[in-house]
C-alpha cells in the first residue's frame, strides 16, 4: 500500500510545477518627476527610488499610457 501511494505521489509531482507559474500581468504605467528639470514623464517599469533626482509624482498606478499622460497634465508637481 505504501509503495503504490508513493508511486502515485511521484507520478503526480512533476505535473504540479505547471500550476505554480504566475499569470502574465497587464502592463502598468507610472508618472515620475525629475526634480532637476521639473518635468514629468510616464514610464512602464516600477520607478527606482534610489535615484536622487527622480521621484514618483503620484502613488497611483495606471493601466494605460493615455491615463498616465492625462494624469501627468493635471498633477500640480508636474505643472510648476
Amino acid at each position: 500500500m505504501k509503495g503504490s501511494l508513493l508511486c502515485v505521489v511521484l507520478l503526480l509531482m512533476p505535473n504540479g510545477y505547471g500550476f505554480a507559474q504566475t499569470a502574465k500581468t497587464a502592463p502598468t504605467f507610472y508618472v515620475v518627476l525629475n526634480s532637476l528639470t521639473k518635468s514629468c514623464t510616464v514610464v512602464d517599469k516600477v520607478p527606482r527610488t534610489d535615484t536622487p533626482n527622480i521621484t514618483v509624482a503620484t502613488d497611483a498606478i495606471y493601466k494605460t499610457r493615455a491615463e498616465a499622460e492625462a494624469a501627468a497634465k493635471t498633477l500640480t508637481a508636474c505643472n510648476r
Side-chain angles (χ1 to χ4, degrees):
M1 179 69 181
K2 285 184 181 181
S4 63
L5 181 62
L6 182 63
C7 288
V8 169
V9 169
L10 290 176
L11 286 174
L12 293 177
M13 198 167 65
N15 293 335
Y17 292 118
F19 297 118
Q21 294 177 357
T22 59
K24 186 175 180 180
T25 58
T28 55
F29 298 94
Y30 304 89
V31 178
V32 177
L33 172 68
N34 186 339
S35 61
L36 290 177
T37 62
K38 303 291 185 203
S39 64
C40 289
T41 56
V42 176
V43 295
D44 60 347
K45 296 181 182 176
V46 178
R48 294 179 49 183
T49 57
D50 60 347
T51 308
N53 299 327
I54 304 296
T55 57
V56 180
T58 181
D59 292 333
I61 300 171
Y62 302 98
K63 293 183 181 181
T64 64
R65 183 174 289 276
E67 288 178 358
E69 289 172 352
K73 292 177 184 175
T74 61
L75 290 173
T76 57
C78 299
N79 295 323
R80 289 184 183 176

